[in-house]
Amino acid sequence: MSESQFLELVQQMLVTIITLAMPVLGMSLSVGLLISLFQAVTQISDASLSFVPKMILVSIFIVASLPWVGDHIEAYTFELWDMIILFGKTE
């Protein structure tokens, strides 16, 4: 395995990680912003008001997006196995 192939593999891994993490992080950011806006409008400063709804909504979003995440991880794993077979044949 050459250095360029290794760097391409690492780059593909990082892109996959970012692709899978961004929807959850975006959802968490959106929910946090809405809850903060609600707290500012109503002047409620309870810590559990910001934590509990965010955890519930983000958990629901994670469970709902599991099929999509599983498909991406499966495709990436198959690509890795193909690369392992390819690199095993060339050396």
Side-chain angles (χ1 to χ4, degrees), residues 54-87:
K54 183 189 274 190
M55 287 303 295
I56 291 171
L57 291 174
V58 169
S59 297
I60 290 171
F61 183 77
I62 288 172
V63 169
S65 65
L66 277 177
W68 176 76
V69 171
D71 289 342
H72 276 276
I73 291 175
E74 180 184 23
Y76 180 70
T77 304
F78 285 145
E79 289 178 30
L80 282 178
W81 281 112
D82 289 342
M83 286 182 191
I84 290 170
I85 293 171
L86 179 68
F87 293 141

Short mmCIF file of all heavy atoms in Angstrom, two decimals, residues 54-87:
data_model
loop_
_atom_site.label_atom_id
_atom_site.label_comp_id
_atom_site.label_asym_id
_atom_site.label_seq_id
_atom_site.Cartn_x
_atom_site.Cartn_y
_atom_site.Cartn_z
N LYS A 54 -33.85 18.47 24.54
CA LYS A 54 -32.79 18.26 23.55
C LYS A 54 -32.40 16.79 23.51
O LYS A 54 -32.24 16.21 22.43
CB LYS A 54 -31.57 19.11 23.88
CG LYS A 54 -30.46 19.00 22.85
CD LYS A 54 -29.20 19.68 23.29
CE LYS A 54 -29.20 21.12 22.94
NZ LYS A 54 -27.89 21.76 23.15
N MET A 55 -32.24 16.16 24.66
CA MET A 55 -31.87 14.74 24.69
C MET A 55 -32.95 13.87 24.06
O MET A 55 -32.65 12.93 23.32
CB MET A 55 -31.61 14.29 26.13
CG MET A 55 -30.31 14.81 26.70
SD MET A 55 -28.87 14.36 25.74
CE MET A 55 -28.87 12.60 25.95
N ILE A 56 -34.21 14.19 24.34
CA ILE A 56 -35.31 13.39 23.78
C ILE A 56 -35.37 13.53 22.27
O ILE A 56 -35.44 12.54 21.54
CB ILE A 56 -36.64 13.78 24.44
CG1 ILE A 56 -36.65 13.34 25.91
CG2 ILE A 56 -37.83 13.18 23.69
CD1 ILE A 56 -37.83 13.87 26.70
N LEU A 57 -35.33 14.76 21.78
CA LEU A 57 -35.45 14.98 20.34
C LEU A 57 -34.24 14.46 19.57
O LEU A 57 -34.39 13.87 18.49
CB LEU A 57 -35.67 16.46 20.06
CG LEU A 57 -37.03 17.00 20.51
CD1 LEU A 57 -37.11 18.50 20.33
CD2 LEU A 57 -38.14 16.32 19.73
N VAL A 58 -33.06 14.64 20.11
CA VAL A 58 -31.87 14.13 19.42
C VAL A 58 -31.86 12.60 19.44
O VAL A 58 -31.49 11.97 18.44
CB VAL A 58 -30.59 14.71 20.06
CG1 VAL A 58 -29.35 14.01 19.55
CG2 VAL A 58 -30.50 16.21 19.77
N SER A 59 -32.31 11.99 20.52
CA SER A 59 -32.39 10.53 20.57
C SER A 59 -33.38 10.00 19.55
O SER A 59 -33.12 9.00 18.87
CB SER A 59 -32.80 10.06 21.97
OG SER A 59 -31.83 10.43 22.91
N ILE A 60 -34.53 10.66 19.43
CA ILE A 60 -35.52 10.26 18.42
C ILE A 60 -34.93 10.40 17.02
O ILE A 60 -35.11 9.53 16.16
CB ILE A 60 -36.81 11.09 18.57
CG1 ILE A 60 -37.53 10.67 19.86
CG2 ILE A 60 -37.73 10.91 17.37
CD1 ILE A 60 -38.69 11.58 20.22
N PHE A 61 -34.20 11.49 16.79
CA PHE A 61 -33.59 11.71 15.48
C PHE A 61 -32.54 10.64 15.17
O PHE A 61 -32.45 10.14 14.04
CB PHE A 61 -32.96 13.10 15.41
CG PHE A 61 -32.37 13.42 14.07
CD1 PHE A 61 -33.18 13.77 13.01
CD2 PHE A 61 -31.00 13.35 13.86
CE1 PHE A 61 -32.64 14.06 11.77
CE2 PHE A 61 -30.45 13.62 12.64
CZ PHE A 61 -31.28 13.98 11.59
N ILE A 62 -31.75 10.27 16.17
CA ILE A 62 -30.73 9.23 15.97
C ILE A 62 -31.38 7.90 15.62
O ILE A 62 -30.95 7.21 14.69
CB ILE A 62 -29.82 9.11 17.21
CG1 ILE A 62 -28.91 10.32 17.31
CG2 ILE A 62 -28.99 7.83 17.15
CD1 ILE A 62 -28.11 10.39 18.59
N VAL A 63 -32.42 7.55 16.35
CA VAL A 63 -33.12 6.28 16.06
C VAL A 63 -33.75 6.32 14.67
O VAL A 63 -33.71 5.34 13.93
CB VAL A 63 -34.16 5.99 17.17
CG1 VAL A 63 -35.07 4.85 16.77
CG2 VAL A 63 -33.47 5.70 18.48
N ALA A 64 -34.33 7.46 14.30
CA ALA A 64 -34.96 7.57 12.98
C ALA A 64 -33.94 7.52 11.85
O ALA A 64 -34.25 7.05 10.75
CB ALA A 64 -35.77 8.86 12.90
N SER A 65 -32.72 7.97 12.10
CA SER A 65 -31.71 7.99 11.04
C SER A 65 -30.82 6.75 11.03
O SER A 65 -29.89 6.68 10.22
CB SER A 65 -30.85 9.25 11.17
OG SER A 65 -30.09 9.21 12.36
N LEU A 66 -31.08 5.80 11.89
CA LEU A 66 -30.24 4.59 11.93
C LEU A 66 -30.21 3.81 10.61
O LEU A 66 -29.13 3.33 10.24
CB LEU A 66 -30.70 3.67 13.06
CG LEU A 66 -30.14 4.01 14.45
CD1 LEU A 66 -30.72 3.07 15.49
CD2 LEU A 66 -28.63 3.99 14.48
N PRO A 67 -31.32 3.67 9.88
CA PRO A 67 -31.21 2.96 8.59
C PRO A 67 -30.26 3.65 7.61
O PRO A 67 -29.47 2.99 6.92
CB PRO A 67 -32.65 2.95 8.05
CG PRO A 67 -33.49 3.08 9.26
CD PRO A 67 -32.72 3.93 10.21
N TRP A 68 -30.31 4.95 7.57
CA TRP A 68 -29.43 5.72 6.67
C TRP A 68 -27.97 5.56 7.10
O TRP A 68 -27.10 5.33 6.26
CB TRP A 68 -29.86 7.19 6.69
CG TRP A 68 -28.98 8.08 5.90
CD1 TRP A 68 -28.94 8.20 4.53
CD2 TRP A 68 -28.00 8.98 6.40
NE1 TRP A 68 -28.00 9.12 4.17
CE2 TRP A 68 -27.41 9.61 5.30
CE3 TRP A 68 -27.57 9.33 7.67
CZ2 TRP A 68 -26.41 10.56 5.43
CZ3 TRP A 68 -26.57 10.27 7.80
CH2 TRP A 68 -26.00 10.88 6.70
N VAL A 69 -27.71 5.66 8.39
CA VAL A 69 -26.36 5.50 8.91
C VAL A 69 -25.86 4.08 8.65
O VAL A 69 -24.71 3.88 8.21
CB VAL A 69 -26.31 5.83 10.42
CG1 VAL A 69 -24.98 5.45 11.03
CG2 VAL A 69 -26.61 7.30 10.66
N GLY A 70 -26.72 3.10 8.87
CA GLY A 70 -26.34 1.71 8.61
C GLY A 70 -25.99 1.45 7.16
O GLY A 70 -25.03 0.73 6.86
N ASP A 71 -26.75 2.05 6.25
CA ASP A 71 -26.46 1.89 4.82
C ASP A 71 -25.09 2.48 4.47
O ASP A 71 -24.32 1.88 3.71
CB ASP A 71 -27.54 2.56 3.98
CG ASP A 71 -28.85 1.81 4.02
OD1 ASP A 71 -28.85 0.63 4.40
OD2 ASP A 71 -29.89 2.42 3.66
N HIS A 72 -24.78 3.66 5.02
CA HIS A 72 -23.48 4.29 4.75
C HIS A 72 -22.34 3.47 5.33
O HIS A 72 -21.31 3.28 4.67
CB HIS A 72 -23.44 5.71 5.32
CG HIS A 72 -24.03 6.73 4.40
ND1 HIS A 72 -23.33 7.30 3.39
CD2 HIS A 72 -25.26 7.26 4.35
CE1 HIS A 72 -24.10 8.15 2.74
NE2 HIS A 72 -25.28 8.14 3.31
N ILE A 73 -22.50 2.98 6.55
CA ILE A 73 -21.45 2.19 7.17
C ILE A 73 -21.26 0.86 6.42
O ILE A 73 -20.13 0.42 6.21
CB ILE A 73 -21.75 1.95 8.66
CG1 ILE A 73 -21.64 3.27 9.41
CG2 ILE A 73 -20.82 0.90 9.25
CD1 ILE A 73 -22.03 3.18 10.86
N GLU A 74 -22.36 0.27 5.98
CA GLU A 74 -22.26 -0.98 5.22
C GLU A 74 -21.53 -0.76 3.90
O GLU A 74 -20.64 -1.54 3.54
CB GLU A 74 -23.66 -1.54 4.96
CG GLU A 74 -23.67 -2.82 4.19
CD GLU A 74 -25.07 -3.30 3.87
OE1 GLU A 74 -26.02 -2.47 3.85
OE2 GLU A 74 -25.22 -4.50 3.62
N ALA A 75 -21.88 0.30 3.19
CA ALA A 75 -21.21 0.58 1.91
C ALA A 75 -19.72 0.86 2.12
O ALA A 75 -18.88 0.37 1.36
CB ALA A 75 -21.88 1.77 1.23
N TYR A 76 -19.39 1.61 3.17
CA TYR A 76 -17.99 1.91 3.46
C TYR A 76 -17.22 0.63 3.83
O TYR A 76 -16.09 0.44 3.41
CB TYR A 76 -17.89 2.95 4.58
CG TYR A 76 -16.47 3.31 4.93
CD1 TYR A 76 -15.69 4.04 4.05
CD2 TYR A 76 -15.90 2.91 6.13
CE1 TYR A 76 -14.38 4.37 4.36
CE2 TYR A 76 -14.61 3.23 6.45
CZ TYR A 76 -13.85 3.96 5.56
OH TYR A 76 -12.56 4.28 5.87
N THR A 77 -17.85 -0.24 4.59
CA THR A 77 -17.21 -1.49 4.98
C THR A 77 -16.95 -2.38 3.77
O THR A 77 -15.87 -2.98 3.64
CB THR A 77 -18.08 -2.24 6.01
OG1 THR A 77 -18.34 -1.39 7.12
CG2 THR A 77 -17.41 -3.51 6.48
N PHE A 78 -17.92 -2.46 2.85
CA PHE A 78 -17.71 -3.25 1.63
C PHE A 78 -16.56 -2.67 0.80
O PHE A 78 -15.76 -3.42 0.23
CB PHE A 78 -18.98 -3.32 0.81
CG PHE A 78 -20.02 -4.26 1.38
CD1 PHE A 78 -21.37 -3.96 1.26
CD2 PHE A 78 -19.66 -5.42 2.04
CE1 PHE A 78 -22.33 -4.81 1.79
CE2 PHE A 78 -20.61 -6.28 2.56
CZ PHE A 78 -21.95 -5.97 2.43
N GLU A 79 -16.47 -1.33 0.74
CA GLU A 79 -15.36 -0.71 0.01
C GLU A 79 -14.02 -1.06 0.66
O GLU A 79 -13.03 -1.32 -0.03
CB GLU A 79 -15.54 0.80 -0.04
CG GLU A 79 -16.64 1.25 -0.96
CD GLU A 79 -16.82 2.76 -0.95
OE1 GLU A 79 -15.83 3.48 -0.72
OE2 GLU A 79 -17.95 3.21 -1.17
N LEU A 80 -14.00 -1.05 2.00
CA LEU A 80 -12.76 -1.41 2.70
C LEU A 80 -12.36 -2.85 2.43
O LEU A 80 -11.18 -3.15 2.20
CB LEU A 80 -12.91 -1.20 4.21
CG LEU A 80 -12.82 0.23 4.72
CD1 LEU A 80 -13.04 0.26 6.22
CD2 LEU A 80 -11.48 0.84 4.38
N TRP A 81 -13.33 -3.77 2.45
CA TRP A 81 -13.01 -5.17 2.18
C TRP A 81 -12.51 -5.34 0.75
O TRP A 81 -11.60 -6.13 0.49
CB TRP A 81 -14.22 -6.06 2.42
CG TRP A 81 -14.44 -6.35 3.87
CD1 TRP A 81 -15.47 -5.92 4.64
CD2 TRP A 81 -13.61 -7.12 4.74
NE1 TRP A 81 -15.32 -6.36 5.93
CE2 TRP A 81 -14.19 -7.11 6.02
CE3 TRP A 81 -12.41 -7.82 4.55
CZ2 TRP A 81 -13.61 -7.76 7.09
CZ3 TRP A 81 -11.85 -8.48 5.64
CH2 TRP A 81 -12.45 -8.44 6.88
N ASP A 82 -13.11 -4.61 -0.19
CA ASP A 82 -12.63 -4.68 -1.58
C ASP A 82 -11.20 -4.18 -1.69
O ASP A 82 -10.39 -4.73 -2.42
CB ASP A 82 -13.56 -3.88 -2.50
CG ASP A 82 -14.91 -4.55 -2.69
OD1 ASP A 82 -15.02 -5.76 -2.39
OD2 ASP A 82 -15.86 -3.85 -3.11
N MET A 83 -10.89 -3.11 -0.94
CA MET A 83 -9.52 -2.58 -0.97
C MET A 83 -8.54 -3.56 -0.34
O MET A 83 -7.41 -3.71 -0.82
CB MET A 83 -9.45 -1.24 -0.23
CG MET A 83 -10.07 -0.10 -0.98
SD MET A 83 -9.86 1.39 -0.01
CE MET A 83 -10.92 2.50 -0.89
N ILE A 84 -8.95 -4.23 0.73
CA ILE A 84 -8.08 -5.22 1.37
C ILE A 84 -7.77 -6.36 0.40
O ILE A 84 -6.62 -6.78 0.28
CB ILE A 84 -8.74 -5.77 2.67
CG1 ILE A 84 -8.74 -4.69 3.74
CG2 ILE A 84 -8.01 -7.01 3.16
CD1 ILE A 84 -9.56 -5.03 4.97
N ILE A 85 -8.78 -6.81 -0.31
CA ILE A 85 -8.57 -7.87 -1.30
C ILE A 85 -7.67 -7.38 -2.42
O ILE A 85 -6.74 -8.08 -2.86
CB ILE A 85 -9.94 -8.36 -1.85
CG1 ILE A 85 -10.71 -9.07 -0.73
CG2 ILE A 85 -9.74 -9.27 -3.05
CD1 ILE A 85 -12.14 -9.40 -1.09
N LEU A 86 -7.90 -6.16 -2.90
CA LEU A 86 -7.09 -5.59 -3.97
C LEU A 86 -5.64 -5.43 -3.55
O LEU A 86 -4.71 -5.80 -4.29
CB LEU A 86 -7.66 -4.23 -4.41
CG LEU A 86 -6.92 -3.51 -5.51
CD1 LEU A 86 -7.07 -4.26 -6.83
CD2 LEU A 86 -7.43 -2.09 -5.64
N PHE A 87 -5.40 -4.90 -2.34
CA PHE A 87 -4.03 -4.71 -1.88
C PHE A 87 -3.36 -6.04 -1.59
O PHE A 87 -2.14 -6.17 -1.74
CB PHE A 87 -3.99 -3.83 -0.64
CG PHE A 87 -4.41 -2.40 -0.90
CD1 PHE A 87 -5.17 -1.71 0.02
CD2 PHE A 87 -4.03 -1.76 -2.06
CE1 PHE A 87 -5.55 -0.41 -0.22
CE2 PHE A 87 -4.42 -0.45 -2.31
CZ PHE A 87 -5.19 0.23 -1.38
#
